[in-house]
Amino acid sequence: MSYVSEVYAELERKHANEAEFLEAVKRILESLQPIVDANEELYRRNALLERFVEPERIITFRVPWTDDKGVNHINLGYRVQFNSAIGPYKGGLRFHPSVTQSILKFLGMEQILKNSLTGLPIGGGKGGADFDPHGKSDAEVMRFCQSFMTELYKYIGKDVDVPAGDIGVGGREVAYMYGQYKRITNLYEGVLTGKGLSFGGSLARPEATGYGLIYIVDEMVRTAGRELAGKTVVISGSGNVAQYATEKAQQLGAKVVTLSDSDGYIYDPDGIRLDIVKEIKQVRRGRIREYLEAVPTAKYVEGERPWGIRCDIALPCATQNEINGTQAGQLIKNGCWCVAEGANMPSDAAAVDAFLAAKILYMPGKAANAGGVAVSALEMSQNSERLSWSFEEVDGKLREIMVNIYRNVSETAARYGYEGNFVVGANIAGFEKVSNAMIAQGLV
Ligand code: GLU
């Protein structure tokens, strides 16, 4: 048995009930095969892969809170501190009913490689709770966030572990958690990123994941001798990533025609009106179907995702496994020639295989959506030096980081004989730095 298969078989035995995590590890290990083959003896001697697939630490705790009617609830809270070889644990918190330890381990594993790709000194972590913020009052969300932080504060710190947002955790939740951390510890430190501008947040952080996605798409498309201007773009999701990807794509002259939420998608052939979407999502916290109240010429398709709409470029920005093999085939058949992932692992294994087989430009999430965590790391730097940089400065650095990620991923793929395969390129490029640090630091 190959080293990769041995490690995977052992992991499957130990964590048989963690389907999402096992699937993610399998896909990552498979694409690391070329670098493992080249270094097998060294890696085995250092138990490198065995260590790479096990989190350094997982904290699980209960989160008690009381709703507005006085009824008590208990949710499950987690922080997966996966890998600190190249920096303090860094990664978002997800509040969603689907959150389990398996999902957070899969996201944590992705985060290690993504954070490494940014070129900044951040390790990998992820956390969250099976709490659903939808339909909850501000006061309920505040009490939940305070209770969550009352347990989590013991394990985090500006040089230890720096959480941020993810699905269900935005500026409001980060602010409530920051307030509670400060109250308990009496420390005014950059322990969370994605904070408000008046208390240590970075300019361009809300925009960063979406803008970064378009910056890497722009670089990839231009390298292939094409351009974004005039192209039709299909986007899924309507949260922070989808909104700012739409904004930047439109600024660069592309036409975005869809957005979605978990209920369905909107199709506006005239181009999405982002001001309306921002009002629905950021002000009213409403559903995407409400777009039709303002733009009656648009279409709303209940219960479906937008992958049947003809486009040049598809940007999945909602959640994991939102494109399957059939839908990927449909996109390709309709002429889509570029896919880049704003969400974490939105394409399932069959979809990725379809994109690679069709040899379209395909940039996986750990590279394409790294702009968010990259600007989080820039927020950490600003907090440490007690300064705030201008929007232009942060945005300029973000752009440079995304261009560097593209070059690194593409050069690494070519160096291992997989030219144009950015899955292999991203996984190996991310892994190289982490594995070197792990080996240098000895058996820890
Ligand atoms: N949740 C985001 C991600 O998946 C951002 C994490 C962060 O800023 O720490 O990368």
Side-chain angles (χ1 to χ4, degrees):
M1 239 204 284
S2 74
Y3 182 33
V4 158
S5 316
E6 272 171 43
V7 171
Y8 183 73
E10 182 62 11
L11 198 72
E12 218 174 11
R13 196 185 60 74
K14 282 188 191 155
H15 304 291
N17 57 344
E18 296 187 343
E20 298 85 359
F21 175 59
L22 287 172
E23 170 70 15
V25 173
K26 190 175 188 184
R27 287 166 63 178
I28 290 168
L29 286 182
E30 270 168 16
S31 64
L32 292 179
Q33 191 75 56
I35 189 173
V36 175
D37 285 346
N39 298 281
E40 179 161 342
E41 201 273 322
L42 175 71
Y43 287 3
R44 275 189 189 272
R45 188 154 32 90
N46 285 278
L48 183 73
L49 292 184
E50 292 87 335
R51 290 191 288 141
F52 180 67
V53 297
E54 278 302 335
E56 290 174 18
R57 184 178 307 104
I58 302 178
I59 297 126
T60 73
F61 49 93
R62 67 171 187 238
V63 188
W65 60 282
T66 307
D67 70 21
D68 289 345
K69 297 197 188 78
V71 179
N72 295 326
H73 301 267
I74 303 295
N75 283 96
L76 301 176
Y78 307 85
R79 185 71 181 166
V80 179
Q81 297 184 331
F82 215 128
N83 192 304
S84 62
I86 64 169
Y89 310 107
K90 182 86 198 82
L93 296 170
R94 179 175 289 193
F95 291 169
H96 192 268
S98 67
V99 163
T100 59
Q101 183 166 298
S102 170
I103 298 258
L104 295 177
K105 281 173 72 178
F106 128 61
L107 291 165
M109 164 72 81
E110 280 286 286
Q111 199 82 44
I112 302 169
L113 299 169
K114 179 195 311 196
N115 293 3
S116 167
L117 283 172
T118 66
L120 300 166
I122 38 179
K126 201 88 189 187
D130 60 352
F131 170 77
D132 188 358
H134 280 123
K136 305 286 191 296
S137 70
D138 259 3
E140 288 172 329
V141 169
M142 181 181 76
R143 287 196 292 276
F144 180 82
C145 289
Q146 290 179 338
S147 181
F148 185 86
M149 187 49 86
T150 300
E151 188 61 30
L152 187 69
Y153 89 95
K154 301 168 193 165
Y155 310 101
I156 60 177
K158 71 177 172 49
D159 298 312
V160 179
D161 182 355
V162 183
D166 195 79
I167 293 172
V169 177
R172 174 180 63 168
E173 291 76 16
V174 167
Y176 287 147
M177 287 191 274
Y178 189 70
Q180 185 71 350
Y181 180 86
K182 186 164 62 66
R183 185 186 191 194
I184 298 173
T185 62
N186 211 23
L187 291 171
Y188 206 105
E189 62 174 30
V191 67
L192 291 161
T193 59
K195 300 184 292 298
L197 282 181
S198 56
F199 52 98
S202 174
L203 283 162
R205 176 63 187 88
E207 293 84 353
T209 314
Y211 278 22
L213 174 67
I214 301 303
Y215 292 151
I216 202 167
V217 167
D218 186 42
E219 186 66 17
M220 172 164 71
V221 164
R222 279 200 287 158
T223 309
R226 303 197 184 203
E227 60 167 14
L228 251 175
K231 300 302 177 296
T232 301
V233 181
V234 156
I235 297 185
S236 66
S238 48
N240 168 277
V241 181
Q243 288 173 34
Y244 289 107
T246 302
E247 185 163 287
K248 187 51 75 177
Q250 289 178 341
Q251 283 173 11
L252 298 186
K255 189 189 207 185
V256 178
V257 293
T258 67
L259 285 177
S260 71
D261 60 22
S262 51
D263 294 337
Y265 75 86
I266 50 163
Y267 173 51
D268 187 344
D270 299 326
I272 295 287
R273 296 257 317 265
L274 195 58
D275 52 333
I276 296 168
V277 176
K278 282 189 178 171
E279 149 78 20
I280 296 170
K281 288 287 163 180
Q282 295 182 10
V283 183
R284 283 165 23 203
R285 294 183 185 271
R287 305 305 295 171
I288 200 67
R289 73 169 83 88
E290 294 165 33
Y291 185 84
L292 264 60
E293 291 162 18
V295 188
T297 48
K299 219 171 100 185
Y300 174 66
V301 183
E302 177 89 23
E304 276 185 47
R305 301 190 191 279
W307 313 128
I309 302 289
R310 204 210 73 75
C311 65
D312 298 290
I313 297 168
L315 306 175
C317 296
T319 192
Q320 65 269 8
N321 291 332
E322 52 165 319
I323 306 184
N324 61 29
T326 316
Q327 292 162 326
Q330 179 80 45
L331 278 169
I332 296 162
K333 209 177 88 203
N334 285 345
C336 171
W337 48 268
C338 174
V339 175
E341 299 177 339
N344 291 312
M345 276 205 181
S347 312
D348 75 7
V352 174
D353 288 346
F355 297 144
L356 293 177
K359 293 201 181 306
I360 64 166
L361 298 173
Y362 166 61
M363 190 55 76
K366 63 174 70 72
N369 70 41
V373 76
V375 172
S376 275
L378 302 181
E379 184 172 327
M380 290 165 71
S381 302
Q382 294 170 76
N383 292 164
S384 294
E385 62 175 20
R386 301 196 190 288
L387 292 173
S388 356
W389 305 341
S390 69
F391 187 96
E392 290 67 31
E393 187 169 1
V394 179
D395 189 42
K397 287 191 194 325
L398 169 64
R399 187 168 184 127
E400 208 175 293
I401 290 168
M402 297 315 294
V403 168
N404 282 337
I405 293 178
Y406 173 75
R407 293 195 182 139
N408 186 11
V409 164
S410 140
E411 277 164 23
T412 305
R415 182 153 47 87
Y416 280 87
Y418 286 80
E419 195 153 353
N421 182 333
F422 301 145
V423 176
V424 167
N427 282 321
I428 295 187
F431 182 74
E432 265 180 338
K433 183 177 175 192
V434 175
S435 58
N436 287 340
M438 284 177 76
I439 291 170
Q441 290 169 22
L443 193 67
V444 292

